[in-house]
Structures are given as structure tokens and as C-alpha cells.
């Protein structure tokens, strides 16, 4: 099992910044993806940014140039630096870890942290 603990959400004005953190503990495979998803009211959960253990990044088009994902493999922690925030970034942000073993992916999720951007 894997446990994910998120922190760093909150209320910020448009144009401001927030930094989310997610620490993973438990049975973490050497090969894994860590990332952030978000879900706004009435919408489906969507990928925000992901980072493989090998260093490959993937960003949603809507956040490219504004958000930066990074990870500390020694601490099994992933970060999301969010700059130039917009009201449409308002959502619950979920940390995700995907353990990969022999080509099979097992996903784990954090409890979510609210990000609210006021106009």
C-alpha cells in the first residue's frame, strides 16, 4: 500500500502563486509516475502535470508555462509550483502515484487539497 499526504492548497488572488507538496510513503516501486490531477465542480478529473521517475514531464496545455512539477526521489515527494494563477485553476487538486511493475500500473490517490483563485 501507498499513502499520499498533500499540503499547500489555499485561497489566492488571480496572478498569485501557490506550491503544492505531496509526500508518498509505503510500497513505492523504483519505476513510478507521480503527478497532480484536478477536479472542478461539475467537471471530470483531469491531468495537470506528471513526472516519471526517469524525469519525463507531461503538462496540460492550460498550465504550460505557468506550472512546474518537480520531485525529490530521495524523499518520494512531488511538488507543483503554480504561478500566474487564474480563476479557472480553481479546483480540488489530487496527488497521484502510479506504481509500475512488469508493465502493470497501480494508481494511488491523495485525499485532495482545495485551490481557490479569486478574480
Amino acid at each position: 500500500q501507498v499513502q499520499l499526504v498533500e499540503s499547500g492548497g489555499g485561497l489566492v488572488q488571480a496572478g498569485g502563486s501557490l506550491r503544492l507538496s505531496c509526500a508518498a510513503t509505503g510500497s513505492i516501486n523504483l519505476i513510478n509516475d507521480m503527478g497532480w490531477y484536478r477536479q472542478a465542480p461539475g467537471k471530470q478529473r483531469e491531468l495537470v502535470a506528471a513526472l516519471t521517475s526517469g524525469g519525463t514531464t507531461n503538462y496540460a496545455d492550460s498550465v504550460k508555462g505557468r506550472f512546474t512539477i518537480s520531485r525529490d526521489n530521495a524523499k518520494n515527494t512531488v511538488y507543483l509550483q503554480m504561478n500566474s494563477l487564474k480563476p479557472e485553476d480553481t479546483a480540488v487538486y489530487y496527488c497521484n502515484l502510479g506504481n509500475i511493475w512488469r508493465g502493470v500500473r497501480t494508481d494511488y490517490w491523495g485525499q485532495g487539497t482545495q485551490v481557490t483563485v479569486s478574480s
Side-chain angles (χ1 to χ4, degrees):
Q1 280 292 344
V2 173
Q3 295 77 41
L4 301 173
V5 178
E6 301 144 336
S7 60
L11 173 64
V12 65
Q13 288 189 334
S17 299
L18 283 174
R19 188 189 193 213
L20 305 182
S21 299
C22 173
T25 58
S27 300
I28 302 165
N29 290 356
L30 287 177
I31 300 174
N32 61 76
D33 296 341
M34 293 190 77
W36 293 92
Y37 290 68
R38 67 187 180 188
Q39 187 166 18
K43 294 187 177 182
Q44 289 189 331
R45 189 173 297 188
E46 63 176 359
L47 171 71
V48 177
L51 179 54
T52 70
S53 51
T56 301
T57 58
N58 184 25
Y59 290 96
D61 288 342
S62 60
V63 307
K64 285 180 180 177
R66 300 188 297 122
F67 292 9
T68 302
I69 189 169
S70 61
R71 62 188 288 173
D72 184 334
N73 287 332
K75 297 180 179 179
N76 290 318
T77 299
V78 65
Y79 306 95
L80 185 68
Q81 178 66 43
M82 304 185 293
N83 298 329
S84 301
L85 282 161
K86 304 176 180 179
E88 50 264 44
D89 294 317
T90 295
V92 178
Y93 284 68
Y94 295 92
C95 179
N96 168 266
L97 182 143
N99 265 343
I100 300 169
W101 176 248
R102 294 183 177 180
V104 177
R105 180 187 176 108
T106 303
D107 284 293
Y108 299 90
W109 296 92
Q111 77 282 3
T113 184
Q114 178 70 47
V115 171
T116 302
V117 184
S118 63
S119 57

